[in-house]
């Protein structure tokens, strides 16, 4: 216990010193950006502010293994908009508003579906105690369809279901929870987030760790706890392992319980100390900001002067390293990133398009606003539907960097996979939300007779905007990913190893001695060129990393530009000028969320009336009543009155068939839908006509499996199934300045234009 407290205090103490330095730099970057503004392409799609307000993601029943009594019990699992999974004894406990039996924060977890995968990870965590593949560690599985949540430090959770379809559905939900909770740093925080990520990166580089880090996930206290455990866990293992007694399974189980207890203590201690550091920095923010605004011009001039001096010394050696070790690999790595990512975004577009086509077909049969509201309620949360989005996410999971991971110290491609998946979900939600706003506006001055035509017109309009935005987002993602791969390698080559430097030694080194560890003997003297009043906002190490970034950025931009003109990647689309196509569209972004059921619906949602009556009879509290009425993105709640199987079997969980999915032949029917003769006729007559024609018409020919889809890339469908070639523009896509590039970079990788302190990898100045 004392050793854990001491180690955590040392790590957080060193992190705090780095955070105070990077906080001032991040504040300067933010103020300068607010004053001077930025460029770059503007998004065409709207972004909703609270997409999951009054929504829950998932709920249902399944088996959970309880370590306390080593038995399987049925559990009701509820996933709110926070994506933290709450589990209860049964559904009634949740509806009454009782506290859950437990809550799982999925940040840092991996979802496993077989015991072999679990045993492999378990053996790696405790190398001296190994279990044979095929043997259960300490639990006998109730079914063959497992779902295991594994964490390198925290408690493991074991679930199972009885069918393969249920397993796939729950696996998609668990993966969605992991993906969302891993992305725990707020992009809206323009100062705290860059300062935090830079401080963590600098701390790891002080210990010789330059590559990507899989455990950079969750909230700041969780990330700091992972940082502590990275060094603490081996020490605890060496101390505890010799004392573990009993059979192999018991030793494994006891070790996991010890890890979970230590990790819980570290998280609580890290949270308290991190909050104290942040409060201290925030208290001094007004004075720092006033100083920045007063001396902005002088600070910029001083920074540029020092930057030119360092560039003259550092740039030649950086460019030599770039030419020999980086340039030959840019194209191959970019291709490895582009293929699966482009397939994933293309699948997002196809899923969105199929949902709208399905809605259009149904409105032909019933072109009322009530029917439209029913469909829009489902489509509005499409981006957060774990099962329907799973096909998009799976495309990116094929991303592989084999042969390059060891050379460039990329621990795992999962860092890039999850980032791409988050961007895909954001793009889907932006497209759906934009479609909602445009369609709602068009319905205000139009009756039901032109409903299908309005849907088609809004669909084509949004698809074009999606093509533009997805192209821009992917190119930014590729630039960020390449920087995240190459910059650490270059910094590691230009900086001597510091693996043997202790925390105490690093803390005791003055800046002048730290700078001497760089391969450039001239570098320390540049600190003297910075006025003392400006030294908080201009750090030599940040300027050095900016020089390294400039040396490689030109080659990365050129590689992405050359790949963008290839039609198979569809990255050329943002060269089409759309900035003036909808001058008033962004005004709709300030509108409140549309309640389709409340505005156009004719009555309560399915099951609501019954809930209302039950609430009145039982005298439920308002909170419990709200819990039952909360809309779900994916409804998995067991219907009242359904039979309960013996031994609380998790068969009471509905199968995948319970979720509406696309039907076969959907695209073929859509060909007829887009025909002008049908769109402009009365829906009743069309149904009668088409039903007669179906009786006479021969069955449609079977389309070969690999034949091209009749759907065009711009969202329209050719009449009669004929295809026509779309005109593609090949104009140069890069008309952005370097200033605009950095202004558009996402804070998840924390690249900022001005001092470049947001770059994920910088030279570590704390080397012995």
């Amino acid at each position: 216990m004392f050793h854990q407290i001491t180690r955590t205090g040392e790590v957080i103490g060193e992190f705090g010193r780095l955070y105070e330095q990077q906080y001032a730099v991040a504040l300067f970057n933010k103020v300068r950006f607010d004053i001077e503004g930025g460029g770059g392409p503007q998004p065409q799609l709207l972004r909703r502010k609270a997409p999951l307000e009054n929504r829950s993601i998932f709920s249902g029943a399944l088996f959970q293994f309880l370590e306390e009594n080593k038995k399987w019990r049925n559990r009701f699992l509820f996933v709110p908009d926070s994506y933290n999974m709450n589990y209860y004894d049964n559904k009634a406990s949740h509806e009454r508003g009782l506290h859950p039996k437990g809550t799982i924060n999925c940040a840092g977890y991996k979802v496993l579906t077989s015991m072999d995968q679990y045993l492999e990870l378990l053996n790696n965590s405790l190398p001296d105690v190994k279990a044979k593949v095929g043997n259960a560690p300490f639990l006998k599985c109730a079914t063959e369809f497992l779902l295991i949540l594994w964490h390198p430090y925290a408690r493991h959770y074991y679930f199972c279901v009885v069918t393969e379809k249920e397993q796939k559905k729950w696996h998609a939900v668990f993966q969605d929870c992991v993906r969302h909770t891993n992305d725990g740093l707020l992009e809206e925080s323009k100062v705290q987030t860059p300062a935090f990520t830079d401080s963590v990166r600098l701390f790891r580089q002080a210990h010789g760790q330059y590559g990507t880090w899989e455990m950079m996930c969750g909230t700041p206290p969780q990330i700091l706890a992972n940082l502590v455990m990275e060094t603490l866990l081996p020490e605890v293992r060496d101390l505890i392992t010799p004392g573990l007694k009993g059979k192999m399974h018991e030793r494994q189980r006891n070790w996991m319980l010890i890890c979970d207890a230590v990790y819980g203590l570290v998280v609580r201690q890290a949270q308290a100390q991190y909050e104290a550091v942040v409060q201290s920095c925030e208290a001094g923010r007004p004075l720092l900001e006033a100083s920045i605004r007063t001396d902005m011009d002088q600070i910029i001039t001083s920074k540029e002067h020092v930057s030119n001096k360092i560039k003259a010394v550092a740039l030649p050696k950086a460019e030599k390293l770039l030419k020999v070790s980086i340039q030959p690999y840019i194209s191959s790595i970019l291709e490895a990133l582009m293929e699966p990512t482009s397939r994933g975004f293309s699948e997002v577009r196809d899923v969105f398009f199929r949902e709208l086509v399905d809605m259009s077909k149904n409105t032909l049969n019933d072109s009322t606003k009530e029917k439209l509201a029913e469909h829009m309620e489902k489509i509005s949360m499409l981006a957060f539907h774990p099962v329907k989005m799973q096909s998009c996410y799976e495309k990116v999971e094929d991303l592989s960097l084999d042969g390059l991971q060891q050379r460039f110290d990329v621990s795992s491609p999962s860092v890039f996979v999850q980032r791409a998946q988050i961007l895909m979900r954001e793009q889907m939600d932006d497209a759906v939300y934009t479609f909602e706003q445009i369609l709602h506006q068009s319905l205000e001055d139009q009756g039901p007779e032109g409903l299908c035509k309005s849907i088609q017109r809004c669909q084509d309009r949004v698809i074009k905007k999606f093509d533009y935005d997805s192209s821009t987002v992917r190119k930014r993602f590729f630039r960020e990913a390449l920087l995240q791969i190459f910059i650490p390698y270059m910094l590691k080559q230009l900086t001597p190893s510091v693996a043997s430097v202790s925390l105490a030694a690093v803390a005791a080194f003055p800046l002048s001695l730290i700078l001497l560890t760089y391969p450039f003997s001239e570098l320390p003297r540049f600190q003297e060129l910075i006025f003392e009043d400006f030294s908080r906002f201009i750090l030599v190490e940040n300027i050095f990393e900016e020089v390294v970034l400039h040396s490689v950025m030109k080659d990365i931009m050129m590689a992405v530009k050359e790949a963008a003109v290839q039609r198979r990647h569809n990255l050329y689309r943002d060269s089409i000028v759309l900035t003036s196509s909808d001058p008033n569209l962004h005004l709709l972004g300030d509108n409140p969320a549309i309640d389709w059921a409340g505005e156009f619906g004719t009555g309560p949602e399915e099951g609501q009336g019954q809930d209302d009556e039950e609430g009145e009879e039982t005298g439920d509290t308002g909170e419990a009543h709200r819990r039952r009425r909360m809309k779900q993105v994916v409804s998995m709640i067991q219907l009242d009155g359904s039979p309960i199987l013996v031994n609380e079997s998790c068969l009471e969980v509905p199968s995948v068939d319970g979720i509406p999915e696309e039907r076969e032949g959907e695209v073929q029917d859509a060909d007829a839908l887009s025909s002008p003769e049908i769109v402009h006729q009365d829906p009743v007559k069309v149904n009668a006509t088409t039903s007669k024609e179906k009786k006479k018409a021969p069955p449609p020919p079977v389309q070969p499996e690999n034949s091209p889809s009749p759907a065009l890339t711009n969202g329209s469908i050719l009449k009669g199934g004929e295809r026509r070639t779309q005109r593609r523009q090949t104009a140069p896509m890069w008309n952005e300045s370097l200033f605009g590039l950095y202004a558009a970079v996402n804070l998840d990788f924390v690249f900022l234009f001005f001092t470049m302190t947001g770059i994920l990898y910088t030279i570590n100045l704390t080397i012995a």
Side-chain angles (χ1 to χ4, degrees):
M1 175 71 69
F2 176 77
H3 181 71
Q4 169 261 321
I5 295 175
T6 302
R7 175 61 67 185
T8 305
E10 291 177 352
V11 173
I12 305 301
E14 176 61 22
F15 166 84
R17 287 187 285 272
L18 293 171
Y19 185 88
E20 290 175 359
Q21 296 176 358
Q22 296 302 320
Y23 183 90
V25 175
L27 180 60
F28 169 75
N29 294 334
K30 193 260 184 187
V31 173
R32 184 179 179 185
F33 186 82
D34 291 342
I35 294 175
E36 298 184 356
Q42 297 297 318
Q44 294 293 308
L45 298 172
L46 303 177
R47 174 69 56 89
R48 78 173 85 208
K49 297 178 180 179
L52 293 176
E53 187 176 8
N54 296 325
R55 300 275 183 168
S56 61
I57 304 301
F58 200 81
S59 65
L62 75 172
F63 276 135
Q64 181 183 8
F65 179 76
L66 305 181
E67 297 183 14
E68 295 79 10
N69 53 20
K70 299 183 180 180
K71 293 183 180 180
W72 292 89
R73 287 290 182 266
N74 200 52
R75 287 287 181 262
F76 179 80
L77 191 145
F78 177 78
V79 184
D81 55 0
S82 65
Y83 284 87
N84 290 330
M85 298 190 297
N86 302 323
Y87 53 90
Y88 301 80
D89 285 331
N90 47 54
K91 177 184 173 183
S93 299
H94 163 68
E95 291 183 342
R96 289 198 299 267
L98 302 180
H99 289 290
K101 301 291 290 185
T103 299
I104 306 174
N105 184 298
C106 294
Y109 276 89
K110 290 183 179 180
V111 185
L112 310 177
T113 56
S114 73
M115 187 58 64
D116 291 343
Q117 295 174 330
Y118 179 65
L119 289 178
E120 182 179 356
L121 292 173
L122 196 62
N123 291 337
N124 293 335
S125 64
L126 196 60
D128 297 335
V129 181
K130 292 184 179 293
K132 295 180 180 180
V133 176
N135 294 337
F138 48 79
L139 68 153
K140 183 176 292 185
C141 303
T143 71
E144 60 178 311
F145 303 107
L146 282 173
L147 290 160
I148 301 176
L149 287 173
W150 178 89
H151 194 283
Y153 313 129
R155 174 186 174 185
H156 302 167
Y157 296 90
Y158 314 93
F159 302 93
C160 71
V161 291
V162 296
T163 67
E164 185 178 0
K165 287 186 176 181
E166 294 176 61
Q167 185 188 41
K168 290 181 179 179
K169 181 185 295 184
W170 283 101
H171 181 262
V173 174
F174 284 9
Q175 288 278 49
D176 217 28
C177 292
V178 171
R179 187 180 303 112
H180 183 89
T181 51
N182 279 351
D183 188 35
L185 298 177
L186 299 177
E187 295 184 10
E188 296 79 11
S189 180
K190 306 298 184 182
V191 178
Q192 292 185 12
T193 297
F196 176 82
T197 53
D198 283 344
S199 301
V200 171
R201 172 176 44 77
L202 288 170
F203 180 92
R204 298 189 74 246
Q205 290 179 2
H207 295 78
Q209 299 167 333
Y210 286 83
T212 57
W213 189 34
E214 286 187 279
M215 297 307 295
M216 186 75 174
C217 50
T219 60
Q222 289 175 310
I223 296 174
L224 289 178
N226 297 337
L227 195 66
V228 174
M229 293 296 291
E230 204 171 28
T231 56
L232 179 63
L233 188 64
E235 299 174 1
V236 175
R237 183 166 52 203
D238 295 339
L239 184 65
I240 297 296
T241 301
L244 293 177
K245 305 298 181 182
K247 297 181 179 180
M248 175 190 61
H249 300 332
E250 288 299 322
R251 282 182 286 169
Q252 288 179 331
R253 180 173 181 271
N254 291 335
W255 170 246
M256 288 188 297
L257 294 176
I258 292 172
C259 286
D260 179 60
V262 172
Y263 185 67
L265 292 174
V266 172
V267 170
R268 290 190 290 272
Q269 187 178 352
Q271 182 173 2
Q273 296 187 22
Y274 171 72
E275 291 176 353
V277 171
V278 172
Q279 290 176 2
S280 175
C281 292
E282 288 293 327
R285 177 169 179 167
L287 293 177
L288 286 176
E289 189 165 349
S291 177
I292 292 172
R293 294 185 181 277
T294 302
D295 302 324
M296 174 65 74
D297 293 338
Q298 292 87 339
I299 297 174
I300 294 175
T301 302
S302 178
K303 177 183 177 297
E304 291 177 350
H305 177 68
V306 177
S307 179
N308 292 332
K309 296 291 185 180
I310 295 179
K311 186 180 299 183
V313 176
L315 191 57
K317 294 187 178 182
E319 289 181 344
K320 182 179 179 180
L321 177 64
L322 172 66
K323 183 177 181 180
V324 175
S325 303
I326 301 296
Q327 289 178 349
Y329 299 94
I330 292 180
S331 299
S332 58
I333 296 180
L334 182 59
E335 187 68 22
L337 291 169
M338 277 186 167
E339 285 291 344
T341 305
S342 296
R343 288 197 301 268
F345 275 86
S346 178
E347 182 68 14
V348 170
R349 186 185 192 278
D350 292 343
V351 170
F352 174 68
F353 178 74
R354 288 196 298 266
E355 290 293 324
L356 297 187
V357 169
D358 184 64
M359 183 177 68
S360 298
K361 290 192 301 182
N362 283 278
T363 54
L364 282 176
N365 300 322
D366 186 357
S367 58
T368 61
K369 291 186 177 181
E370 290 78 9
K371 190 67 175 179
L372 174 67
E374 180 182 338
H375 289 287
M376 287 305 301
E377 276 289 294
K378 299 177 181 178
I379 293 178
S380 63
M381 290 291 105
L382 178 60
F384 302 93
H385 194 302
V387 177
K388 289 189 176 182
M389 289 295 294
Q390 184 65 17
S391 63
C392 307
Y393 298 146
E394 288 175 350
K395 302 291 184 183
V396 190
E397 290 175 356
D398 297 335
L399 192 152
S400 175
L401 298 175
D402 293 339
L404 299 171
Q405 292 183 209
Q406 293 76 17
R407 179 179 181 84
F408 295 103
D409 196 16
V410 179
S411 59
S412 171
S414 62
V415 175
F416 308 109
V417 169
Q418 289 196 4
R419 177 60 185 158
Q421 291 172 341
I422 291 171
L423 293 174
M424 289 160 55
R425 184 178 65 189
E426 291 177 354
Q427 286 292 289
M428 174 67 87
D429 189 50
D430 292 349
V432 170
Y433 179 60
T434 305
F435 178 80
E436 281 189 276
Q437 295 293 332
I438 295 177
L439 180 62
H440 185 264
Q441 185 184 50
S442 66
L443 293 178
E444 293 179 353
D445 303 324
Q446 182 176 293
E449 61 278 357
L451 188 58
C452 187
K453 184 177 180 180
S454 296
I455 293 174
Q456 181 69 30
R457 185 169 56 250
C458 296
Q459 166 191 307
D460 293 342
R461 191 172 163 191
V462 173
I463 286 290
K464 292 178 182 178
K465 297 179 181 298
F466 175 86
D467 291 339
Y468 180 95
D469 278 10
S470 67
S471 175
T472 304
V473 168
R474 276 181 288 161
K475 284 188 289 189
R476 187 173 67 240
F477 167 71
F478 296 143
R479 295 195 299 266
E480 294 172 349
L482 290 175
L483 287 172
Q484 193 172 3
I485 293 172
F486 293 136
I487 295 297
Y489 175 79
M490 296 184 67
L491 297 177
K492 190 174 184 179
Q493 298 301 315
L494 295 172
T495 307
S497 175
V498 293
S500 60
V501 179
S502 66
L503 284 176
V506 171
F509 281 174
L511 181 59
S512 59
L513 292 180
I514 292 175
L515 292 175
L516 287 173
T517 61
Y518 280 97
F520 310 105
S521 59
E522 300 90 345
L523 196 57
R525 64 184 177 87
F526 296 127
Q527 187 68 26
E528 301 174 359
L529 301 178
I530 303 174
F531 290 112
E532 184 177 357
D533 293 342
F534 304 157
S535 60
R536 292 172 297 177
F537 314 117
I538 305 175
L539 300 179
V540 174
E541 55 266 39
N542 294 75
I543 298 177
F544 182 82
E545 74 174 16
E546 183 178 343
V547 171
V548 176
L549 176 100
H550 277 290
S551 66
V552 70
M553 178 57 73
K554 180 180 178 181
D555 293 273
I556 290 177
M557 292 175 61
M558 183 61 67
V560 175
K561 179 179 179 180
E562 292 175 354
V565 299
Q566 301 178 19
R567 293 188 176 186
R568 60 198 179 104
H569 296 308
N570 291 329
L571 290 174
Y572 55 86
R573 295 182 180 275
D574 66 353
S575 62
I576 304 173
V577 179
L578 295 177
T579 53
S580 301
S581 57
D582 289 308
N584 298 322
L585 176 62
H586 286 272
L587 297 177
L588 299 176
D590 298 329
N591 293 343
I594 301 172
D595 183 6
W596 292 95
E599 186 170 349
F600 298 110
T602 56
E605 296 183 24
E606 183 179 355
Q608 273 191 354
Q610 184 177 358
D611 287 342
D612 293 343
E613 295 174 2
E614 291 177 357
E616 294 175 1
E617 294 175 0
T618 60
D620 285 344
T621 62
E623 177 64 20
H625 184 58
R626 185 191 65 81
R627 286 174 179 269
R628 288 204 313 273
R629 292 182 59 118
M630 180 179 289
K631 300 177 183 178
Q632 286 189 275
V633 177
V634 184
S635 179
M636 291 288 294
I637 298 179
Q638 170 67 19
L639 297 177
D640 295 334
S642 61
I644 303 299
L645 301 181
V646 182
N647 298 326
E648 294 184 312
S649 170
C650 55
L651 272 174
E652 67 186 75
V653 182
S655 65
V656 178
D657 298 332
I659 295 181
E661 298 177 354
E662 61 275 8
R663 296 182 293 275
E664 297 181 0
E666 199 168 58
V667 176
Q668 288 82 348
D669 294 340
D671 290 339
L673 171 65
S674 61
S675 175
E677 291 82 2
I678 294 181
V679 170
H680 298 291
Q681 292 179 16
D682 183 72
V684 178
K685 296 180 180 179
V686 170
N687 293 336
T689 304
T690 53
S691 61
K692 294 179 181 178
E693 291 177 353
K694 287 182 178 179
K695 295 180 180 179
K696 300 179 181 180
V702 179
Q703 185 176 357
E705 183 177 356
N706 298 326
S707 61
S709 170
L712 291 179
T713 57
N714 66 352
S716 62
I717 303 178
L718 291 181
K719 178 181 177 181
E722 298 177 355
R723 297 182 58 85
R724 56 187 171 91
T725 305
Q726 182 186 14
R727 298 176 60 187
R728 290 176 164 84
Q729 297 190 17
T730 58
M733 93 184 170
W734 287 111
N735 56 3
E736 313 162 329
S737 64
L738 188 60
F739 178 84
L741 167 65
Y742 292 119
V745 170
N746 192 293
L747 271 176
D748 285 88
F749 291 94
V750 202
F751 302 144
L752 296 175
F753 167 68
F754 296 106
T755 62
M756 305 313 299
T757 54
I759 304 170
L760 291 174
Y761 301 93
T762 60
I763 290 292
N764 169 45
L765 301 184
T766 53
I767 305 171

